[in-house]
Amino acid sequence: MLRGTVHALVGENGAGKSTLMKILYGMQRPDEGTITLDGEKADLHTPADAIRLGIGMVHQHFMLADNLTVLENIVLGAEQLHGIGGKARAKIKELSDAYGLGVRPDLLVEDLGVADRQRVEILKVLYRGARTLILDEPTAVLVPQEVEALFANLRELKSEGLTIIFISHKLGEVLSVADAITVIRRGTTVGDADPKSVTVKQLAELMVGSELPSPETRESTVTSEVLLDVKGLKLAAVDAEGIERTVLGDVSLTIHKGEVLGIAGVEGNGQAELVEAIMGMRTPDAGVITLDGADISTAPTRKRREDGIGYIPEDRHRHGLLLEGTLWENRILGHVTEKPNSRGALLDLTAARRDTERIVKEYDVRTPGIEVTAASLSGGNQQKLIVGREMSHLPKLLIAAHPTRGVDVGAQAQIWDQIRQARREGLAVLLISADLDELIGLSDTLRVMYRGHLVADADPATITPEELGSAMTGAASGHLEHTDAEGEDR
Amino acid sequence: GSSSSDDSKDKGVGIAYDVGGRGDHSFNDSAAKGLDKAKAEFNLGSKELTAKNTDTEADREQKLNDLAGAGYNPVIGVGFAYADSVKAVSKKFPKTTFAIVDSVVEGANIDSINFTEEQSSYLAGVAAALKTKTNKVGFIGGVDTTLIKKFAAGYQQGVKDTKPDVSVDIEYITQGGDFSGFAKPAEGKAKAKGMLDRGIDVIYAAAGSSGSGAIEAVAGKKGTWAIGVDGDQYQDKGLAQWKTAILTSAVKNVDGSVYDVIKSVKDGKPLTGTHVYNLKAGGVGLATSGGYIDDIQAQLDAAKKKITDGTLTVRTTPTS
Amino acid sequence: MKKFDKDRLILGLAAPVLAIVAAFVLTALVLLATGKEPFHAFNVMFDKGLTSDSQVFILNKATPYYLAGIAVAIGFRMNLFNIGVDGQYRLAAFFAAVVGGAVNLPSVIQIPLIILTAMLVGAMWAGIAGVLKVTRGVSEVITTIMLNAIATAVIGYFMIPGRLAQLHADTNSVSTKEIPSSGHFFGFDMGTDGTIWGFIVIAVLVGVLYWFGLSRTRFGFDLRTVGRSESAAGASGVNVKRMIITSMLLSGAIAGLVGMPVLLNDAHQFSTEFPAGIGFTGIAVALLGRNHPIGIALAALLWGWLEIASSKLEFEDYDKEIVGVMQGIIVLCVVIAYEVVRRYGIKRQQQKVGEELAAQARTKQEAAA
Amino acid sequence: MSATATPGKTAKSPAAKIRAKLTFSRVLLIIAGALILISAVRAITGANDMTSSGQISGALTMAVPIGLAGLGGLWSERAGVVNIGLEGMMMLGMFFGAWAGWQTNPWLAVLAGILGGALGGLIHAVVTVTFGVDHIVSGVAINILALGTTQYLAKIWFSMGKAAAAGGSPKQSPPMDDIKSFTVPGLSDWMHTLEGHHWFLISDIAGIIGGLVTDLSSLTLLAAALFVATFFVLWRTAFGLRLRSCGENPIAAESLGVNVYKYKYLAVIASGGLAGLGGAFLAIVPSHIYNEGQTGGRGYIGLAAMIFGNWRPGGLAMGAGLFGYSDSLQLRNGGETVHALLLALAVGLAALAAWRLYQKKYLPAVVGGAVAALLVVWYSLTDTVPDQLVGATPYIVTLLVLALASQRLRMPAADGQPYRKGQGK
Ligand SMILES: Nc1ncnc2c1ncn2[C@@H]1O[C@H](COP(=O)(O)OP(=O)(O)OP(=O)(O)O)[C@@H](O)[C@H]1O
Ligand SMILES: Nc1ncnc2c1ncn2[C@@H]1O[C@H](COP(=O)(O)OP(=O)(O)OP(=O)(O)O)[C@@H](O)[C@H]1O
Ligand SMILES: [Mg+2]
Ligand SMILES: [Mg+2]
C-alpha cells in the first residue's frame, strides 16, 4: 500500500476485512504474520500502539459515547496532546474548519445525526495526527449526497499525503474513490484489481467467485385486496431532558396482498419506530392499524403475531434471537403459542425440535445440529434461521427490516427468493432497507421517510438510488419522477 | 446418633450463650465470669457454645443436646431464647441438671434463674432523680423487648417515687424483632446526644454494646451522668476512657447464679425449680465503683429497704 | 447432537466441583495461617456432621433454604434480583401465624389457610418492588433492600402485646397466639434422631413445579425468554412488564413459604426468636445451585451441612466462624467457576461448530469431485 | 455491541436542545424553598429539633459513612461496574480500621480501613473485570465473604490475649483514641445563642450552621474534601474522562487506546477504598470500635443515595444528607419530629401536585394531591408517629424519593454490562 493513496478492500460479508483492520489497529492479535509500516516492522498490541504509529480507524459501527460531548469523545485517549479544555476546543475548531467538517465540540453526541457522527469519527482520527486512515464501511448509513461529501473529504486528505484504507460493499463507490483495490475471500487475499480497468461485475465475481445476483422482481403480483392499513400513526418521545420530539408524525400507508412496500430513509428517521408500532412493541399516541380488515391498534404483540404478522427484525441479536438458547428454542421464540411449538399451555418439545430440523434443512442453515446455541452460528445462518422461522407460520404480512444486512451474497439471494416466492402466494411485505438497490429491486411501491413523515413516493421501476437519496435527505418530496437529464448512473 | 445415655463421665459444665456470647461485656459475659470462678474453684472442664442470629429452635436444641449428650453437667442455657429447648432436651437427659437464665421452665431437673431487674433499676431511678439538675432524665433501651421494659419500668417508678416532677423519657434503639439495637454504639451515641440536647442530664442505658455509645456521649457533656447496666461498667476496660461519667450500674449477678448452680451439682445437691435472684438475695443491685453515689447512699438504702421488706412492689412494665 | 448435551453436563458439573475443591483448599490455608489444624477440622465436619441425627437436622435446615433458593431463582431466571426474600418470608410468616392463631378449623382448611395467607402476603410485599420497577423504573435491588427494613418495622409495630402478639410472662418472650394443633404439619418420626419436618414434601413439590413450569410450559418459556433477552422477549410477544410483575409475585409467594416449615412443623407461633436471614442464605443457595431445582437442593443441603458442621467444630474448639469464611469462599469460587466454564463452553462450541461445518463442506466437495 | 451499532435517534433540530438542566442557581433555589418550608413547619409545630444544631450535627455524622459508600459506588459505576459489595467493603474497612486503630492511632486506622476496603474492591475487580462475572452476583458474594472473614478474624484477633485484656471480644475490638475534631470557637456559640431564640428562619439557619461548625470530626472534613476531589478528578481531568468513558462506552474507549481494564480496576479499587473509609469512619468517629453488624446496611443505602443523586457527587451529597437527616431524626426525638415532617411532606407534595396540574399532567397531580391530603389527615388525627415507623423512616424516604425521581435519572450507559477486550465489532 502506498502513501497518499486510497486503497480499497472488498470482500464478502465475513471475509475478514474488519478483522484484518482490527489487527492492523491493534485491537486483535494475529496468530502469525507481520505488519510493516514505513519499512519498519510494526508490533501492534493495543490501539494505543497503532495510534502512536499514526494509524487511525473509523469503525464499521460508531465508537462514540452518547452521554459525552463531542469534545470529550474526540480528546479521549489523546489528552496529552492538547489537554481536555480550551486548547483542545480550539484545535478541534481548527481541524473542523480546515476540512470543512462543521463539527461543534460542545454538543452531546446523542444529539447528533448519523452524518455528523461520522464526521466526529473522522475528526477523532485527524485529531491524533493519523497518517494512515482506516474507514470500515463508512458509507453504509449515508445517503448518496453525504457519500459524495465524504469522498470530497477523502480526496482532500489524500492530497495532504494521508493513506486511506477504505472498506465498502458498494462496489460503485469503491471504483469511484479508490486508487487500488484488494479483494479478500475467506480470510485470504484472492487478488488485486485496478479501479481504472475493472468493472463492477468483474469485481463482484472476483469477490464471490460467481455471478452477482440481482434483487430484481420479475412480475407484479399486487392484488387489490388491502392487507395492512395504517392511518394517522403518531408518536412523540420524551427524551432524557424532558423535551418532546416527534418520532412519527401522521404516518399512513396501505399494503395489498402480494405487494412489497419498500420504505427508504436514512436510519433514525422513524422507520424503526414505525415497525415497532405495527408490531405492537411501542404504543403510538394516535392512529389506527388494520390487519386484514381487523383493527389491531390495541392488540398486544403476541396477538398480532398470532394474527399473521411475521417479523424479521433489524437487529437480530436484540430482537430476533436468544443468543444463548439452542436453535430449537430460537425456533419457538415468537411463536410459543402456535403449533407445532405448543399444545395448550404446554410446550411440545418433540414437535418443535422436529420442525427445527426441517427449517435447518429447507433454509440451508449451516449448522452441525439443532442443539447448538444460536451464538455459535454465523450471522448469515442466524438470519436464515429467523427467516425460516417466520416463514414457517405462513404470515399474511411480513415486516422485513434490513433482511439481508450482514448477510453474504449467497444467503442474500436465497432470502430474496423466499420473499418473492411468498409474495407470489399473496404475502404482503413491508420492507425497510438501507440497501437502495435491494429496495428498488424488491419493492412494488416505494415510500421515503424523513423526520417521521412519509415525504415522498416513487416507482421502483424507473427511480435511481441517487434520486431516492435526495428525498431521503429531505431535499425532494412528493412523487419522485425519474429524469433522464440526471445523466448516467454508475 | 446421639446417645441418650447419662452415664458418660462428668466432663464439667456445658454452657450455651445467647447471641453475643462470651465477651459481650454484658450478661453473657457475666455468666462466663461465674463459670470461670467455678472452674477455678472446683477444677472443672467446660464446653461453651454460642448462638447465632439465624439460629432456630432446632439449632438451640442441637446445642443443648450435644452438651448433655457429651456428658456435661450441668447444662446452662443463657437467655430466655433457650426456654423451649431446655424444656425439650431436659426430658431426654433426666440425670443432667439444666439451668435457664431469665426464664421460668417447669421440669424436675431444671433450675430456672430469674432476676428482678426492675428492682435494681428502681434504685437507679432513685439515684437519677437525686442527681438530676434539670429535672429531666432518660432511658435508652436497646430493643423494646419485655425484658428491657422491666428495666425501664423500674427506673421510671424509682424516679417518680423520689421526685414526681422529674420527667422520664423512654426510648429504644430498634423495635420489635430487630435485635440489632443491642449492638449499635453509633446509634446509642446519637440517641444519647439527642437526649442531652433536650436537657436530659442522667441517662440509663440498658442497650448492650449500644450503651457504650450512650456513655461516651454523656462523657462528652459536663455535668451529666450515665448509668450502666448488667455488670459494673465502671470497671469495664472497654469503657475506661469514659468511666468518670458512669454514676453507677444496675448490676445483675448472672455470674453468681451460674456459680450457684455449678456448685450445687458439684456438691451433689443440684438446684431445681425457680430461683429468683432479687435485691434481697443480692442477685441484683447498684454498683458503687467511683463513689459517685456515696452522698445519696442513705436514700438508696431507704428505698432498698422498702423493696426488700416487701412494702414496695416494683412494676415490670412502664406506664406511658 | 447428544454429544453437545453430554459436554454441557460435564461442564455444568465441573464448575461446582472445582469451586468446592478450591473452597476447601483455601479454607485449609486460612486455618493453617491462623494456626489451626485443617485436616482434623474437615474430619470433624464429615464425621460428626453426617451422623444420622445430623442428617435429620440437615434436612430440616435445608427445607427453608431450598424454598428461599427457589424464590430467589425465579427472580434470577428473569434477571431480577429479589434481595427481599428475607423481608417477604418474615412478614408472610408473621401474618400467617396471626391468622393461624386466630382461628381453629379442621386441619384440611386450617393448614391451607395459613399457607395461602403466607403466600399472599409474600407475593404482595414482593409485588411492591415489581410495580415500582415497572411503573417507575426503580431497580428492584434497591427497593427490595428497603422493603426488608420496612418489613422489620411493620412486624415490630404489630409484635407488641395487645396488638397482634401476646406476652409469655414465664419465658419473657413475645409471640403471636399459638397455632392450634389442627394447624400443625405432619412430620416423619426418626426416633432418637429427631423428626423430619413434613414440609419437606411441599418443598419437593415446589421444586418439581418450578422445574416443570419453567421448562415445559409456555409461561415458563416466556419467563426464561425475558431473562435471556428482554428486547427479544418483547419482540416475540411477551408482555415484559406484566412478566416482571408476575414473576415478582411468584417469587414472593414462594418466599412466603420459606417460614412455613419452621412455623407449621416446629415453632407454631411467630416470636421474636423466629429465624431471620434465611432470605440471604437463599441468594447464596440459588447462586450455588445455578437456579436449577436439583442444584438448589444440593446447595441447600450443603448449607445445612455447613451449619451443623459449624456447631460440631465449635464443640471441637475450632472457631465456628470459619464456616462463614468457607461459605463466602464457596460462593465466590462458584460464581467465578460458572462464568469461566460458561465462556469456555460457548467458545468451544463455536469452534466445534466451525470445525464440523468445515468438515461437512470438505466431504461435500469431495463427493462432488 | 449492538448498542453502539445504530444511532436509534432522530436527528434533533438545534432548537430542541434547550435543556431543563439542574443548574447551580436552580439547586440553590430548591434548597432555599425547602429551608423556608421546613422553617415554617417548625415554627408552626414547635418541633424545634428539626433544625437544631444537634440534629444537624447528628445528621452529618450519620451521612458521612453513607456518603462515602455512595462515593465508592459512584467511582465504580462511573467506570461501568455496579458495586453492591459496598456493604462488605465497609465491613472490611471497619474491621481493619479498628484493628489498626486500637493498637496504634486513629490515623493509621483510617489508612488500614481504606486498604481493607480496597482489598474488597480488588476482589470485586478481579471477579467482574477479569472473570466477567455478573456484577451483582459478585457483589453479593463479596458481602458474604466479608461478613464471614471479619467475624472469623474478630474472633481470633479481638477476643484473645492483649486485645481481650483491652476490652475486645468476638464482636468488638478494643477501643481506640479519639480522632481530632474541630469547633469554630466564636461562631459555634453565637449560632447556639441565635438558635435558642427559635426565630423563624434565622434560628433554623443558625442551627444548621451551628451543627456544621460544632464538634466537626477531621474525618468529616476529609470526606467533604473527597467529594470535591471526586468531582474535580472525574470531570476535570484526563484521567476522569477516561474513567467515565469506560462506563459510557468501553469499546469506544478501547478503540482510542484507553486501557479499559486498568481504569475499571482503578475505579473499583478506589470504590472499595472509599467504602472502606466509610466503614472505618464508623469505627473511628461515632464508636471507637469495630462492632459486628455496625455497618447495618449502610452500603446499600449509600448505593441508593448515589442513584438518588443521579450518579453525581453533588446529588449524592444531597441524598446522603437526606438519609443522614432522617436517620438522625429517628434516633433523636423520634415520633414528634417525624410527625411534624408529615406536614412538611404534605405541603411539598401539594406543591408538586400543583406543578403537575399546571403541566396538565392530571394523573400524577391527583395522586400527589390525594397523598398530601391523606398526610394532612394523618397529621391532624395523631400526636406522634409510632416508634416502629419512625425507625423505618430512612427506608420509606428512600423508596418514596426513588419512586418519584427515578425517571429523571440517567445512569452511565454501559453500567453493569460485561465488557471483554476485543469484543467490539
Ligand atoms: N478471533 C477470531 N477467531 C475466529 N474467527 C473469527 C475471529 N474474529 C472474527 N472471526 C470470524 O471471522 C469472520 C470475519 O469477520 P469480519 O468482521 O472481519 O468480516 P468482514 O469482512 O468485515 O465482513 P462484513 O462485510 O460483514 O463487515 C467472521 O465470520 C467472524 O465471526
Ligand atoms: N505530552 C506528551 N507528548 C507526547 N507523548 C506523550 C505525552 N504524554 C504521554 N505521551 C506518550 O503517549 C503514550 C500514551 O500515554 P497515555 O497517557 O495514554 O498512557 P497511559 O495513561 O499510561 O495509558 P492508558 O491510560 O491508555 O492505559 C505513552 O507512550 C506516553 O509516553
Ligand atoms: Mg462483519
Ligand atoms: Mg466488517
Side-chain angles (χ1 to χ4, degrees), chain A residues 11-20 28 60 136-137 169 406:
Chain A
E12 285 181 89
N13 285 117
K17 308 180 294 289
S18 299
T19 309
L20 178 61
Q28 279 181 9
Q60 188 167 356
D136 194 353
E137 296 193 34
H169 287 289

Side-chain angles (χ1 to χ4, degrees), chain A residues 302 318 324 344-345 347 373, chain C residues 216 218 222 231 235 342 349:
Chain A
R302 174 149 292 164
R318 262 173 72 74
E324 288 196 30
L347 297 177
T373 55
Chain C
R216 289 291 183 274
R218 269 164 35 176
D222 284 347
S231 50
R342 191 182 73 91
Q349 198 179 54

